[in-house]
Amino acid sequence: MTGLSCVRGQESAGFVTSNGASTPTYTVHKGMGLVSTAFPPEAALKLRHGNLGICHTRYSTTGNSELQNCQPFVVDTLHGKIAVAHNGELVNAQALRKKVMRHGVGLSTSSDSELITQLLALTPPMEGLDNPDWVARIKNLMTETPTSYSLLMMFKDVIYAVRDPYGNRPLCIGRVVPVSKLHSSGSEEGDTEGWVVSSESCSFQSIGARYYREVLPGEIVQISKHGIKSLSIVPRPEGDLPAFCIFEYVYFARPDSIFEGQMVYTVRQRCGRQLAIEAPTNADVVSTVPESATPAALGYAQQLGLPYIEVLCKNRYVGRTFIQPNTRLRQLGVAKKFGALTDNFAGKRVVIIDDSIVRGNTISPIIKLLKEAGATEVHIRVASPPIKFPCYMGINIPTKEELIANKPEFQDIAGYIGADSVQYLTVEGLLLAVQGGIGSKDKDEMISNKSISRVGHCTACLTGKYPVELEW
């Protein structure tokens, strides 16, 4: 079984399985809501009908939040059905939609994931009538659109795992191993019982798999009953550098995931240490907005020698507010998301570490809650720079007007949100924290190398410098 994006969305979910025959039978199920809602027990039984498949959980950036946009997409081609699951957002989707329609292909959804599926279904020049060249088709897709996508394509008994040449969205491979070998350091490739692919490695352990490696930027990997095989790596234009989304480290990814050979938790902790160097605070205790900012808060506290305590109790039955599809749902989520642990901070100066302030809907009511519960001062330190620009590559930051950093109130952001002071990590500090552990053997090593290159990560939402030219 192979899955894509199985831990990253909460709007809809779907799966497609295949029995792997020369004329395969595909079993499809899709539903709205969380996996637990979209996949009732009777739907999960359908998974028995195949020995390979792809699944997807949706977090919408383009296309409406409705069932017709739910993935994976399945289409008929000249050579049989293909199924495609996609994570990301195409920077030239509108131009591609027109191009596909000029070929006489109708599109039934507003999702650019369907667009990818139809582009893969088109027969490229020089392809034989009876022998589909899927590598050529995938390369043609990469020629048509440079970023942003990680995707899986299933055809008969083969799955292709693909990452765009800039590596903007994550994709990694895991090995299914015997339970007795799951935590063993001596597990060999010969113990492999199957292969899985996911946006994040944190999903592997729960299904009895171990992290194997990342799919490289531009790489096409074939997965079959014979194992995995790297078929090709499509290069970027000369001089262009990788552009892995830095917001994955800041907020989006789960802390136990591994990107670029380092755990997200460790990177966030380094962000907290760097933040303490750049923006120290006169405070009695350090705390956090749980849970994604917890590692940064621990790093901040360690760097300054201050105690770390919990001041907020999170209602674990409320989903993540940032990825709710509209502002009203995000605000309602905040209102019922936290309770104050008054005994831990009454009469004390508190510095709260947050991972980011995007729209400003969350932090203001939290500050009010803490002050009403007895905090004498509440200082805010943000373990990422101000987000000033929209993301057009798979993160739901659609307009400049929504971003607090672009509003007049940002000139007195502390007064606007009710804090005693507010300071952010710099872009340079964030890059030091992220890149300081790539290739480092000692993951606990303090940040000291000031000459680390700024290349290799997309910081467009912070700087406005997009890795490719945007087409509208």
Side-chain angles (χ1 to χ4, degrees):
M1 180 62 63
T2 301
L4 174 69
S5 259
C6 288
V7 296
R8 297 166 65 84
Q10 57 188 38
E11 292 178 34
S12 64
F15 66 74
V16 179
T17 63
S18 170
N19 61 2
S22 56
T23 305
T25 299
Y26 280 11
T27 301
V28 182
H29 180 84
K30 301 180 182 181
M32 298 299 292
L34 296 168
V35 169
S36 57
T37 303
F39 295 166
E42 60 272 20
L45 291 175
K46 295 179 182 179
L47 292 170
R48 298 178 179 178
H49 299 162
N51 56 12
L52 72 160
I54 58 178
C55 68
H56 186 272
T57 57
R58 188 164 189 260
Y59 152 70
S60 61
T61 51
T62 59
N64 298 324
S65 181
E66 54 193 20
L67 188 61
Q68 70 173 8
N69 285 326
C70 179
Q71 298 184 50
F73 287 110
V74 180
V75 299
D76 282 303
T77 74
L78 186 63
H79 307 285
K81 293 181 183 292
I82 62 169
V84 175
H86 159 239
N87 174 33
E89 184 176 354
L90 303 184
V91 294
N92 59 340
Q94 292 304 316
L96 285 177
R97 290 181 74 86
K98 293 178 181 178
K99 184 170 185 175
V100 167
M101 289 177 175
R102 288 193 196 101
H103 280 81
V105 177
L107 297 171
S108 59
T109 76
S110 56
S111 168
D112 54 5
S113 304
E114 183 197 17
L115 183 58
I116 287 175
T117 308
Q118 294 292 358
L119 283 167
L120 290 170
L122 293 176
T123 302
M126 310 303 292
E127 183 179 287
L129 293 176
D130 300 321
N131 297 303
D133 187 343
W134 293 112
V135 173
R137 293 187 184 206
I138 294 167
K139 287 182 176 181
N140 180 64
L141 169 69
M142 291 183 172
T143 301
E144 294 284 359
T145 183
T147 194
S148 162
Y149 48 89
S150 288
L151 61 93
L152 296 178
M153 190 198 82
M154 181 169 66
F155 175 72
K156 294 185 177 179
D157 62 346
V158 174
I159 291 174
Y160 298 93
V162 182
R163 200 169 171 205
D164 76 59
Y166 289 86
N168 185 254
R169 301 259 65 87
L171 195 63
C172 60
I173 303 169
R175 295 189 298 121
V176 179
V177 299
V179 175
S180 61
K181 299 290 184 72
L182 189 57
H183 302 288
S184 170
S185 59
S187 177
E188 302 294 336
E189 199 162 319
D191 298 320
T192 303
E193 297 179 343
W195 296 93
V196 290
V197 180
S198 178
S199 293
E200 292 189 45
S201 61
C202 61
S203 63
F204 291 154
Q205 185 168 311
S206 63
I207 58 172
R210 296 184 62 176
Y211 175 82
Y212 182 67
R213 71 171 179 90
E214 288 187 307
V215 177
L216 300 175
E219 188 177 18
I220 304 170
V221 177
Q222 177 183 279
I223 305 167
S224 70
K225 62 184 177 182
H226 304 295
I228 67 168
K229 182 180 181 182
S230 180
L231 301 179
S232 182
I233 296 180
V234 176
R236 295 175 296 280
E238 187 175 355
D240 283 6
L241 294 151
F244 180 57
C245 173
I246 209 159
F247 207 65
E248 294 281 355
Y249 285 113
V250 169
Y251 173 86
F252 209 61
R254 222 171 76 172
D256 53 338
S257 288
I258 297 171
F259 298 140
E260 302 176 304
Q262 55 185 348
M263 189 168 284
V264 172
Y265 184 98
T266 307
V267 173
R268 290 177 182 167
Q269 200 167 39
R270 288 201 301 267
C271 287
R273 293 176 187 169
Q274 185 67 26
L275 179 62
I277 294 169
E278 295 182 359
T281 319
N282 290 322
D284 299 309
V285 296
V286 177
S287 195
T288 179
V289 179
E291 293 170 332
S292 53
T294 301
L298 287 168
Y300 190 93
Q302 291 164 3
Q303 184 69 27
L304 294 181
L306 293 172
Y308 169 84
I309 63 169
E310 292 184 344
V311 300
L312 295 170
C313 177
K314 183 178 180 181
N315 180 352
R316 301 179 187 279
Y317 300 99
V318 178
R320 302 178 83 176
T321 54
F322 173 80
I323 61 175
Q324 292 287 356
N326 62 55
T327 299
R328 175 173 169 78
L329 289 177
R330 284 189 289 272
Q331 291 173 334
L332 288 174
V334 170
K336 57 187 178 182
K337 194 170 184 178
F338 299 109
L341 299 172
T342 310
D343 289 352
N344 286 355
F345 63 88
K348 295 179 180 179
R349 299 170 297 173
V350 180
V351 54
I352 293 291
I353 310 301
D354 204 353
D355 50 34
S356 58
I357 300 178
V358 180
R359 301 172 177 91
N361 296 326
T362 306
I363 196 66
S364 184
I366 287 174
I367 296 168
K368 182 180 179 182
L369 175 67
L370 294 176
K371 288 193 172 183
E372 289 177 348
T376 59
E377 296 177 8
V378 178
H379 302 270
I380 302 297
R381 294 295 179 267
V382 187
S384 64
I387 298 173
K388 298 181 178 180
F389 300 90
C391 175
Y392 301 105
M393 291 170 285
I395 301 291
N396 187 16
I397 310 173
T399 65
K400 282 187 176 182
E401 289 73 24
E402 285 187 83
L403 303 174
I404 187 67
N406 293 325
K407 295 182 177 180
E409 296 86 350
F410 189 71
Q411 301 306 315
D412 180 24
I413 182 67
Y416 178 68
I417 64 176
D420 290 276
S421 69
V422 177
Q423 285 186 269
Y424 290 78
L425 184 64
T426 63
V427 174
E428 293 76 16
L430 176 60
L431 287 165
L432 272 172
V434 169
Q435 298 178 353
I438 297 175
S440 172
K441 293 182 180 180
D442 183 0
K443 293 187 177 182
D444 294 323
E445 186 180 59
M446 290 294 292
I447 301 166
S448 60
N449 185 358
K450 300 294 184 181
S451 64
I452 294 174
S453 173
R454 294 181 59 189
V455 302
H457 294 89
C458 177
T459 60
C461 61
L462 312 174
T463 63
K465 298 177 182 178
Y466 296 90
V468 297
E469 184 178 350
L470 303 175
E471 297 181 29
W472 308 111

